Amino acid sequence: MSETPMPIWEVFVRARAGLAHRHAGSVHAADAEMALQAARDTYTRRGEGLSLWVVPSAAITASDPADRDSLFEPTADKIYRHPTFYEVPDDVGHM
Amino acid sequence: MYTQALNQKDVAPAAGPAEDPERLARFEARVAAEDKIEPNDWMPAAYRRTLTRQISQHAHSEIVGMLPEGNWITRAPSLRRKAALLAKVQDEGGHGLYLYAAAETLGTSREELVDQLLSGKAKYSSIFNYPTLTWADIGAIGWLVDGAAIMNQIPLCRTSYGPYARAMVRICKEESFHQRQGYEIMLTLARGTEAQKAMAQDALDRWWWPSLMMFGPPDAESAHTDQSMRWKIKRFTNDALRQQFVDATVPQGHFLQLSFPDPELRYDEEAGHWRYGAIDWEEFRQVLAGNGPCNRERLEARRRAHAEGAWVREAALAHAAKRRARRAAERQAAE
């Protein structure tokens, strides 16, 4: 392939004020400004968002799925982190 | 559009190492338990190849699918129809892009995927190799082709590969406007003058059989679906989806007071299904082999668009590089 690859950007869309930006997909663009325009045309044709983020895909560091157990498993047995672990008599009422 | 790629045989590269049976078993168990597979997860090489082929050919279909309809944008009969058609064709471009993005998560670059289309190595749906001769064809495409696409695509929203499933959810939401705008065009023509009604009938006559072929060869002949079904890439067989489409569409055609070009079409009371006549699979094979009415024209149009856009891509990259260099120089000067 003789053509220079066009950089890839991850797109995040805030659907409305009060919500977090959420990953929508990716676009290819030469720079951030063009990535924003492409993201707008690709992911918000029907009022899906009020705000966009574009992030160079290479800038994202992800956890390795192979580490899933060692990273997330230890929380499974810490049931004392949940309110239902504690016994409060019914007479106390809602707490 | 659609799952024709899943009818192709998966060919493993000659020196491909055998899969680790333990990992393969874990993978199959996850899929069987309806767990979604995500980009960085381990997956068998054949799963990656099948999905890359399927998703990219789906993307190519959306992009090539812009051509037959684009043909009528400047000649739409009213501003309302023109705005709708423009939005629909734009959606198809968008759908192609969501799908390319999903395919790229499997490790093949956009440039390679586009190259595969332009070199003729990758296929796209057979349906786009038919011409749009009259305005009624725009109605028939929306009603029949998008209708068939929806039947095919709704089960793909639950496909086992996460990025593909998510792209399909967006696509299906947008697709229902496409079908309704097509049916509205058909309804207007069918209630119009004799000439308009004849135009609608002619479009139905020409698009009916190719729409049924979109679902791919009969189950008895598509031996490659077994693995795709087990891996939950595909959820229903070609014949099951085709029947579902026929059952949904025939009453809609009768509402238009149009007739279907199939003398054997009849309602099977007992089964509750519309039975259709034999499909000309030789025509389907010819279109897939590149001998359809518009195969050459479609590929030519894509190649030309890609070549004519090359200077824009180059200029955008050069502009971005220049701005980066200028910013770096300014920073250095400020230090």
Side-chain angles (χ1 to χ4, degrees):
Chain A
M1 219 152 314
S2 52
E3 218 173 298
T4 321
M6 194 60 81
I8 181 163
W9 306 74
E10 297 303 319
V11 177
F12 298 82
V13 181
R14 186 204 294 285
R16 54 191 160 83
L19 294 181
H21 285 76
R22 194 173 162 186
H23 186 240
S26 59
V27 293
H28 287 261
D31 62 27
E33 210 179 331
M34 281 187 268
L36 269 181
Q37 285 169 1
R40 178 234 175 236
D41 289 344
T42 310
Y43 293 103
T44 64
R45 288 194 305 283
R46 286 179 174 76
E48 291 92 335
L50 297 174
S51 162
L52 285 170
W53 288 349
V54 290
V55 181
S57 297
I60 292 179
T61 307
S63 65
D64 186 341
D67 296 339
R68 191 161 58 181
D69 288 354
S70 63
L71 282 174
F72 307 111
E73 185 62 22
T75 61
D77 59 6
K78 294 181 177 59
I79 51 171
Y80 47 84
R81 287 186 168 163
H82 297 278
T84 46
F85 179 74
Y86 301 93
E87 278 175 37
V88 176
D90 287 348
D91 298 343
V92 177
H94 179 73
M95 184 181 278
Chain B
M1 260 165 264
Y2 323 172
T3 53
Q4 285 178 1
L6 295 177
N7 300 316
Q8 287 171 248
K9 189 170 166 50
D10 174 61
V11 183
E19 299 288 4
D20 173 355
E22 201 177 306
R23 291 183 116 173
L24 185 61
R26 232 178 309 153
F27 172 86
E28 301 229 331
R30 276 187 68 186
V31 171
E34 298 287 336
D35 202 1
K36 295 285 183 219
I37 306 303
E38 293 294 340
N40 294 330
D41 291 343
W42 183 88
M43 61 186 87
Y47 179 84
R48 189 183 297 276
R49 274 196 309 272
T50 303
L51 269 169
T52 303
R53 194 177 61 232
Q54 164 58 24
I55 304 173
S56 63
Q57 296 193 17
H58 194 160
H60 301 330
S61 300
E62 297 282 356
I63 299 299
V64 177
M66 297 166 79
L67 297 171
E69 291 179 289
N71 182 34
W72 280 91
I73 291 175
T74 56
R75 294 175 289 163
S78 68
L79 189 56
R80 182 176 189 272
R81 294 288 186 222
K82 186 173 184 167
L85 185 56
L86 200 57
K88 180 177 190 286
V89 172
Q90 210 178 16
D91 269 353
E92 275 146 18
H95 296 174
L97 296 177
Y98 308 158
L99 289 163
Y100 280 130
E104 287 173 273
T105 63
L106 291 159
T108 309
S109 74
R110 175 79 59 95
E111 286 78 7
E112 275 173 85
L113 297 173
V114 170
D115 240 35
Q116 289 168 0
L117 171 68
L118 301 183
S119 70
K121 190 180 163 223
K123 304 273 181 229
Y124 53 87
S125 180
S126 55
I127 194 76
F128 301 117
N129 291 312
Y130 291 87
T132 42
L133 303 177
T134 74
W135 170 250
D137 289 9
I138 299 305
I141 288 182
W143 172 38
L144 300 173
V145 175
D146 289 284
I150 291 170
M151 286 293 167
N152 237 317
Q153 294 181 143
I154 285 180
L156 289 175
C157 295
R158 295 188 297 122
T159 199
S160 59
Y161 188 57
Y164 191 24
R166 291 192 287 276
M168 289 317 303
V169 170
R170 289 186 67 94
I171 290 174
C172 286
K173 272 193 208 159
E174 298 181 354
E175 202 81 59
S176 80
F177 130 62
H178 297 182
Q179 195 187 13
R180 289 171 65 107
Q181 70 89 36
Y183 194 71
E184 198 192 85
I185 291 172
M186 291 301 276
L187 196 60
T188 305
L189 293 173
R191 288 176 174 171
T193 63
E194 278 309 307
Q196 287 173 316
K197 196 172 168 178
M199 203 196 253
Q201 182 62 57
D202 167 61
L204 172 55
D205 290 347
R206 282 182 291 109
W207 289 93
W208 176 245
W209 291 110
S211 299
L212 295 193
M213 292 174 199
M214 282 173 66
F215 295 92
D219 296 348
E221 285 173 38
S222 43
H224 319 303
T225 48
D226 295 1
Q227 180 157 278
S228 295
M229 297 276 279
R230 195 176 74 240
W231 281 343
K232 298 192 198 291
I233 296 173
K234 190 171 171 155
R235 294 269 179 171
F236 296 98
T237 67
N238 296 350
D239 285 334
L241 289 167
R242 188 166 16 243
Q243 185 62 58
Q244 214 179 326
F245 172 71
V246 171
D247 289 343
T249 309
V250 169
Q252 295 166 358
H254 290 158
F255 184 85
L256 296 172
Q257 295 188 310
L258 297 177
S259 60
F260 288 86
D262 178 0
E264 288 173 56
L265 189 69
R266 63 176 178 86
Y267 191 65
D268 179 344
E269 227 27 271
E270 209 171 306
H273 290 301
W274 283 91
R275 300 299 179 198
Y276 49 91
I279 295 172
D280 179 2
W281 291 113
E282 184 47 33
E283 175 181 327
F284 178 69
R285 273 186 288 273
Q286 286 297 327
V287 174
L288 281 192
N291 304 320
C294 299
N295 293 57
R296 242 164 273 166
E297 188 185 328
R298 299 291 183 240
L299 218 47
E300 264 312 302
R302 285 315 310 155
R303 287 193 187 124
R304 196 170 55 241
H306 190 72
E308 287 176 358
W311 73 269
V312 180
R313 295 189 294 276
E314 262 170 55
L317 284 167
H319 178 66
K322 205 159 76 180
R323 292 223 301 186
R324 254 196 321 275
R326 197 181 304 149
R327 266 198 308 275
E330 279 167 7
R331 252 199 317 273
Q332 218 165 22
E335 274 165 16

Short mmCIF file of all heavy atoms in Angstrom, two decimals, chain B residues 4-47:
data_model
loop_
_atom_site.label_atom_id
_atom_site.label_comp_id
_atom_site.label_asym_id
_atom_site.label_seq_id
_atom_site.Cartn_x
_atom_site.Cartn_y
_atom_site.Cartn_z
N GLN B 4 -24.15 -12.25 2.98
CA GLN B 4 -23.70 -13.13 1.89
C GLN B 4 -22.28 -13.63 2.11
O GLN B 4 -21.93 -14.72 1.65
CB GLN B 4 -23.85 -12.44 0.54
CG GLN B 4 -25.30 -12.39 0.09
CD GLN B 4 -25.50 -11.67 -1.23
OE1 GLN B 4 -24.56 -11.19 -1.85
NE2 GLN B 4 -26.74 -11.57 -1.68
N ALA B 5 -21.46 -12.83 2.83
CA ALA B 5 -20.07 -13.26 3.06
C ALA B 5 -20.02 -14.55 3.87
O ALA B 5 -19.06 -15.31 3.78
CB ALA B 5 -19.30 -12.17 3.77
N LEU B 6 -21.07 -14.79 4.65
CA LEU B 6 -21.07 -15.99 5.49
C LEU B 6 -21.35 -17.26 4.68
O LEU B 6 -21.27 -18.36 5.20
CB LEU B 6 -22.08 -15.85 6.63
CG LEU B 6 -21.75 -14.74 7.63
CD1 LEU B 6 -22.84 -14.62 8.67
CD2 LEU B 6 -20.41 -15.00 8.30
N ASN B 7 -21.69 -17.08 3.41
CA ASN B 7 -21.89 -18.25 2.57
C ASN B 7 -20.59 -18.69 1.91
O ASN B 7 -20.53 -19.73 1.26
CB ASN B 7 -22.93 -17.95 1.49
CG ASN B 7 -24.26 -17.56 2.10
OD1 ASN B 7 -24.71 -18.19 3.03
ND2 ASN B 7 -24.86 -16.50 1.60
N GLN B 8 -19.56 -17.85 2.05
CA GLN B 8 -18.27 -18.23 1.46
C GLN B 8 -17.54 -19.17 2.39
O GLN B 8 -17.70 -19.11 3.60
CB GLN B 8 -17.41 -16.97 1.25
CG GLN B 8 -17.88 -16.11 0.11
CD GLN B 8 -17.13 -14.78 0.12
OE1 GLN B 8 -17.71 -13.74 0.36
NE2 GLN B 8 -15.83 -14.85 -0.13
N LYS B 9 -16.69 -19.97 1.79
CA LYS B 9 -15.92 -20.91 2.59
C LYS B 9 -14.75 -20.16 3.22
O LYS B 9 -14.09 -19.35 2.58
CB LYS B 9 -15.41 -22.03 1.69
CG LYS B 9 -14.79 -23.18 2.45
CD LYS B 9 -14.56 -24.35 1.49
CE LYS B 9 -13.64 -25.38 2.09
NZ LYS B 9 -14.00 -25.81 3.43
N ASP B 10 -14.48 -20.43 4.51
CA ASP B 10 -13.31 -19.84 5.14
C ASP B 10 -12.08 -20.65 4.78
O ASP B 10 -12.05 -21.86 4.99
CB ASP B 10 -13.50 -19.82 6.67
CG ASP B 10 -12.24 -19.36 7.37
OD1 ASP B 10 -11.84 -18.20 7.11
OD2 ASP B 10 -11.66 -20.13 8.13
N VAL B 11 -11.08 -19.99 4.22
CA VAL B 11 -9.86 -20.70 3.84
C VAL B 11 -8.74 -20.27 4.77
O VAL B 11 -8.36 -19.10 4.81
CB VAL B 11 -9.48 -20.40 2.37
CG1 VAL B 11 -8.27 -21.21 1.97
CG2 VAL B 11 -10.66 -20.70 1.45
N ALA B 12 -8.20 -21.20 5.53
CA ALA B 12 -7.12 -20.89 6.45
C ALA B 12 -5.82 -20.75 5.67
O ALA B 12 -5.60 -21.47 4.71
CB ALA B 12 -6.99 -22.00 7.49
N PRO B 13 -4.97 -19.78 6.07
CA PRO B 13 -3.67 -19.68 5.42
C PRO B 13 -2.89 -20.98 5.60
O PRO B 13 -3.02 -21.64 6.63
CB PRO B 13 -2.97 -18.53 6.15
CG PRO B 13 -3.93 -18.03 7.17
CD PRO B 13 -5.16 -18.86 7.16
N ALA B 14 -2.09 -21.33 4.60
CA ALA B 14 -1.44 -22.64 4.56
C ALA B 14 -0.71 -23.01 5.85
O ALA B 14 -0.87 -24.11 6.37
CB ALA B 14 -0.50 -22.69 3.37
N ALA B 15 0.10 -22.07 6.37
CA ALA B 15 0.95 -22.41 7.50
C ALA B 15 0.34 -22.04 8.85
O ALA B 15 1.04 -21.90 9.84
CB ALA B 15 2.30 -21.74 7.33
N GLY B 16 -0.97 -21.87 8.88
CA GLY B 16 -1.61 -21.46 10.13
C GLY B 16 -1.43 -22.50 11.23
O GLY B 16 -1.66 -23.68 11.01
N PRO B 17 -0.99 -22.06 12.43
CA PRO B 17 -0.82 -23.02 13.52
C PRO B 17 -2.18 -23.48 14.03
O PRO B 17 -3.16 -22.76 13.91
CB PRO B 17 -0.08 -22.21 14.58
CG PRO B 17 -0.43 -20.77 14.29
CD PRO B 17 -0.74 -20.67 12.82
N ALA B 18 -2.22 -24.69 14.57
CA ALA B 18 -3.47 -25.21 15.13
C ALA B 18 -3.83 -24.41 16.38
O ALA B 18 -2.94 -23.91 17.07
CB ALA B 18 -3.31 -26.68 15.45
N GLU B 19 -5.14 -24.27 16.66
CA GLU B 19 -5.57 -23.54 17.84
C GLU B 19 -5.31 -24.36 19.10
O GLU B 19 -5.44 -25.58 19.09
CB GLU B 19 -7.07 -23.23 17.75
CG GLU B 19 -7.47 -22.38 16.56
CD GLU B 19 -7.04 -20.92 16.68
OE1 GLU B 19 -6.35 -20.57 17.67
OE2 GLU B 19 -7.37 -20.14 15.77
N ASP B 20 -4.96 -23.66 20.17
CA ASP B 20 -4.81 -24.29 21.48
C ASP B 20 -6.19 -24.81 21.91
O ASP B 20 -7.12 -24.03 22.07
CB ASP B 20 -4.29 -23.22 22.45
CG ASP B 20 -4.25 -23.69 23.89
OD1 ASP B 20 -4.72 -24.81 24.15
OD2 ASP B 20 -3.76 -22.93 24.73
N PRO B 21 -6.34 -26.16 22.07
CA PRO B 21 -7.67 -26.72 22.32
C PRO B 21 -8.31 -26.19 23.61
O PRO B 21 -9.53 -26.03 23.68
CB PRO B 21 -7.42 -28.23 22.41
CG PRO B 21 -5.96 -28.42 22.49
CD PRO B 21 -5.30 -27.20 21.97
N GLU B 22 -7.49 -25.88 24.60
CA GLU B 22 -8.03 -25.41 25.88
C GLU B 22 -8.65 -24.01 25.72
O GLU B 22 -9.75 -23.74 26.18
CB GLU B 22 -6.90 -25.38 26.90
CG GLU B 22 -7.39 -25.40 28.34
CD GLU B 22 -6.21 -25.43 29.30
OE1 GLU B 22 -5.34 -26.33 29.15
OE2 GLU B 22 -6.15 -24.53 30.15
N ARG B 23 -7.92 -23.14 25.01
CA ARG B 23 -8.42 -21.77 24.78
C ARG B 23 -9.66 -21.81 23.90
O ARG B 23 -10.61 -21.06 24.11
CB ARG B 23 -7.35 -20.92 24.10
CG ARG B 23 -6.19 -20.62 25.00
CD ARG B 23 -5.21 -19.71 24.30
NE ARG B 23 -5.12 -18.43 24.97
CZ ARG B 23 -4.24 -17.49 24.66
NH1 ARG B 23 -3.40 -17.67 23.66
NH2 ARG B 23 -4.20 -16.35 25.32
N LEU B 24 -9.61 -22.70 22.90
CA LEU B 24 -10.73 -22.82 21.98
C LEU B 24 -11.99 -23.25 22.74
O LEU B 24 -13.07 -22.69 22.55
CB LEU B 24 -10.39 -23.83 20.88
CG LEU B 24 -11.43 -23.98 19.76
CD1 LEU B 24 -11.63 -22.66 19.02
CD2 LEU B 24 -11.00 -25.06 18.77
N ALA B 25 -11.81 -24.21 23.66
CA ALA B 25 -12.94 -24.71 24.43
C ALA B 25 -13.50 -23.58 25.32
O ALA B 25 -14.72 -23.43 25.43
CB ALA B 25 -12.52 -25.89 25.29
N ARG B 26 -12.60 -22.78 25.92
CA ARG B 26 -13.06 -21.68 26.76
C ARG B 26 -13.83 -20.64 25.94
O ARG B 26 -14.85 -20.12 26.35
CB ARG B 26 -11.86 -21.02 27.46
CG ARG B 26 -12.07 -20.93 28.97
CD ARG B 26 -10.87 -20.32 29.67
NE ARG B 26 -9.63 -21.00 29.27
CZ ARG B 26 -8.42 -20.41 29.28
NH1 ARG B 26 -8.31 -19.14 29.64
NH2 ARG B 26 -7.35 -21.08 28.92
N PHE B 27 -13.29 -20.37 24.75
CA PHE B 27 -13.95 -19.42 23.85
C PHE B 27 -15.35 -19.91 23.47
O PHE B 27 -16.32 -19.16 23.55
CB PHE B 27 -13.08 -19.25 22.59
CG PHE B 27 -13.73 -18.45 21.50
CD1 PHE B 27 -13.66 -17.06 21.49
CD2 PHE B 27 -14.44 -19.08 20.47
CE1 PHE B 27 -14.27 -16.32 20.48
CE2 PHE B 27 -15.05 -18.35 19.47
CZ PHE B 27 -14.97 -16.97 19.48
N GLU B 28 -15.43 -21.18 23.09
CA GLU B 28 -16.72 -21.72 22.65
C GLU B 28 -17.73 -21.72 23.80
O GLU B 28 -18.91 -21.45 23.59
CB GLU B 28 -16.54 -23.13 22.09
CG GLU B 28 -15.57 -23.12 20.91
CD GLU B 28 -16.08 -23.84 19.68
OE1 GLU B 28 -16.87 -24.78 19.84
OE2 GLU B 28 -15.70 -23.45 18.56
N ALA B 29 -17.23 -21.95 25.02
CA ALA B 29 -18.13 -21.94 26.17
C ALA B 29 -18.66 -20.53 26.42
O ALA B 29 -19.84 -20.33 26.73
CB ALA B 29 -17.40 -22.45 27.41
N ARG B 30 -17.79 -19.54 26.26
CA ARG B 30 -18.22 -18.15 26.45
C ARG B 30 -19.31 -17.78 25.45
O ARG B 30 -20.31 -17.17 25.78
CB ARG B 30 -17.04 -17.19 26.23
CG ARG B 30 -16.16 -17.00 27.45
CD ARG B 30 -15.13 -15.93 27.18
NE ARG B 30 -15.75 -14.60 27.06
CZ ARG B 30 -15.07 -13.51 26.70
NH1 ARG B 30 -13.79 -13.57 26.44
NH2 ARG B 30 -15.69 -12.34 26.62
N VAL B 31 -19.06 -18.15 24.18
CA VAL B 31 -20.04 -17.81 23.13
C VAL B 31 -21.36 -18.53 23.39
O VAL B 31 -22.43 -17.94 23.29
CB VAL B 31 -19.47 -18.15 21.73
CG1 VAL B 31 -20.55 -18.00 20.67
CG2 VAL B 31 -18.30 -17.24 21.41
N ALA B 32 -21.25 -19.80 23.79
CA ALA B 32 -22.47 -20.59 24.05
C ALA B 32 -23.26 -19.96 25.20
O ALA B 32 -24.49 -20.01 25.21
CB ALA B 32 -22.10 -22.03 24.38
N ALA B 33 -22.55 -19.34 26.16
CA ALA B 33 -23.22 -18.72 27.30
C ALA B 33 -23.69 -17.30 26.98
O ALA B 33 -24.05 -16.53 27.87
CB ALA B 33 -22.28 -18.72 28.50
N GLU B 34 -23.65 -16.92 25.69
CA GLU B 34 -24.09 -15.60 25.23
C GLU B 34 -23.22 -14.46 25.74
O GLU B 34 -23.65 -13.31 25.80
CB GLU B 34 -25.56 -15.31 25.61
CG GLU B 34 -26.56 -16.28 24.99
CD GLU B 34 -26.78 -16.06 23.50
OE1 GLU B 34 -26.56 -14.96 23.00
OE2 GLU B 34 -27.17 -17.05 22.83
N ASP B 35 -21.98 -14.76 26.13
CA ASP B 35 -21.04 -13.72 26.51
C ASP B 35 -20.57 -13.07 25.20
O ASP B 35 -20.36 -13.76 24.22
CB ASP B 35 -19.86 -14.38 27.24
CG ASP B 35 -19.11 -13.39 28.11
OD1 ASP B 35 -19.51 -12.21 28.16
OD2 ASP B 35 -18.12 -13.81 28.75
N LYS B 36 -20.40 -11.75 25.18
CA LYS B 36 -19.91 -11.10 23.96
C LYS B 36 -18.39 -11.17 23.90
O LYS B 36 -17.72 -11.12 24.93
CB LYS B 36 -20.34 -9.63 23.93
CG LYS B 36 -21.84 -9.43 23.85
CD LYS B 36 -22.38 -9.71 22.46
CE LYS B 36 -23.87 -9.43 22.40
NZ LYS B 36 -24.59 -10.40 21.59
N ILE B 37 -17.87 -11.27 22.69
CA ILE B 37 -16.42 -11.25 22.48
C ILE B 37 -16.02 -9.81 22.14
O ILE B 37 -16.68 -9.17 21.31
CB ILE B 37 -16.03 -12.21 21.33
CG1 ILE B 37 -16.57 -13.61 21.60
CG2 ILE B 37 -14.52 -12.22 21.11
CD1 ILE B 37 -16.13 -14.26 22.90
N GLU B 38 -14.99 -9.30 22.79
CA GLU B 38 -14.55 -7.93 22.56
C GLU B 38 -13.16 -7.92 21.90
O GLU B 38 -12.45 -8.93 21.93
CB GLU B 38 -14.55 -7.14 23.87
CG GLU B 38 -15.95 -6.90 24.46
CD GLU B 38 -16.85 -6.00 23.61
OE1 GLU B 38 -16.31 -5.25 22.77
OE2 GLU B 38 -18.08 -6.06 23.78
N PRO B 39 -12.78 -6.78 21.28
CA PRO B 39 -11.59 -6.74 20.42
C PRO B 39 -10.32 -7.38 20.99
O PRO B 39 -9.63 -8.08 20.27
CB PRO B 39 -11.37 -5.25 20.18
CG PRO B 39 -12.73 -4.66 20.30
CD PRO B 39 -13.48 -5.49 21.29
N ASN B 40 -9.99 -7.12 22.26
CA ASN B 40 -8.72 -7.64 22.76
C ASN B 40 -8.81 -9.06 23.29
O ASN B 40 -7.81 -9.64 23.69
CB ASN B 40 -8.17 -6.73 23.86
CG ASN B 40 -7.80 -5.38 23.30
OD1 ASN B 40 -7.42 -5.27 22.14
ND2 ASN B 40 -7.94 -4.34 24.11
N ASP B 41 -10.00 -9.63 23.31
CA ASP B 41 -10.15 -11.01 23.81
C ASP B 41 -9.50 -12.01 22.85
O ASP B 41 -9.45 -11.77 21.64
CB ASP B 41 -11.64 -11.38 23.92
CG ASP B 41 -12.35 -10.61 25.02
OD1 ASP B 41 -11.64 -10.06 25.89
OD2 ASP B 41 -13.59 -10.56 25.01
N TRP B 42 -9.07 -13.12 23.41
CA TRP B 42 -8.56 -14.18 22.55
C TRP B 42 -9.70 -14.73 21.69
O TRP B 42 -10.84 -14.86 22.17
CB TRP B 42 -7.97 -15.33 23.40
CG TRP B 42 -7.37 -16.39 22.54
CD1 TRP B 42 -6.08 -16.42 22.08
CD2 TRP B 42 -8.02 -17.53 21.98
NE1 TRP B 42 -5.89 -17.51 21.28
CE2 TRP B 42 -7.06 -18.22 21.19
CE3 TRP B 42 -9.33 -18.05 22.04
CZ2 TRP B 42 -7.36 -19.38 20.49
CZ3 TRP B 42 -9.62 -19.21 21.33
CH2 TRP B 42 -8.64 -19.87 20.58
N MET B 43 -9.42 -15.01 20.43
CA MET B 43 -10.44 -15.63 19.56
C MET B 43 -9.73 -16.51 18.54
O MET B 43 -8.58 -16.25 18.18
CB MET B 43 -11.28 -14.55 18.87
CG MET B 43 -10.51 -13.61 17.98
SD MET B 43 -11.53 -12.26 17.32
CE MET B 43 -11.41 -11.04 18.63
N PRO B 44 -10.39 -17.57 18.09
CA PRO B 44 -9.76 -18.44 17.08
C PRO B 44 -9.51 -17.64 15.80
O PRO B 44 -10.30 -16.74 15.46
CB PRO B 44 -10.81 -19.52 16.81
CG PRO B 44 -11.84 -19.38 17.87
CD PRO B 44 -11.75 -18.01 18.44
N ALA B 45 -8.44 -17.96 15.10
CA ALA B 45 -8.10 -17.25 13.87
C ALA B 45 -9.24 -17.31 12.85
O ALA B 45 -9.50 -16.34 12.14
CB ALA B 45 -6.81 -17.80 13.28
N ALA B 46 -9.94 -18.44 12.81
CA ALA B 46 -11.02 -18.57 11.82
C ALA B 46 -12.19 -17.64 12.16
O ALA B 46 -12.86 -17.11 11.27
CB ALA B 46 -11.50 -20.02 11.76
N TYR B 47 -12.43 -17.42 13.46
CA TYR B 47 -13.49 -16.49 13.88
C TYR B 47 -13.12 -15.07 13.44
O TYR B 47 -13.94 -14.36 12.87
CB TYR B 47 -13.61 -16.58 15.41
CG TYR B 47 -14.66 -15.67 16.05
CD1 TYR B 47 -15.99 -16.06 16.13
CD2 TYR B 47 -14.29 -14.46 16.62
CE1 TYR B 47 -16.93 -15.25 16.76
CE2 TYR B 47 -15.22 -13.64 17.25
CZ TYR B 47 -16.55 -14.04 17.32
OH TYR B 47 -17.47 -13.24 17.93
#
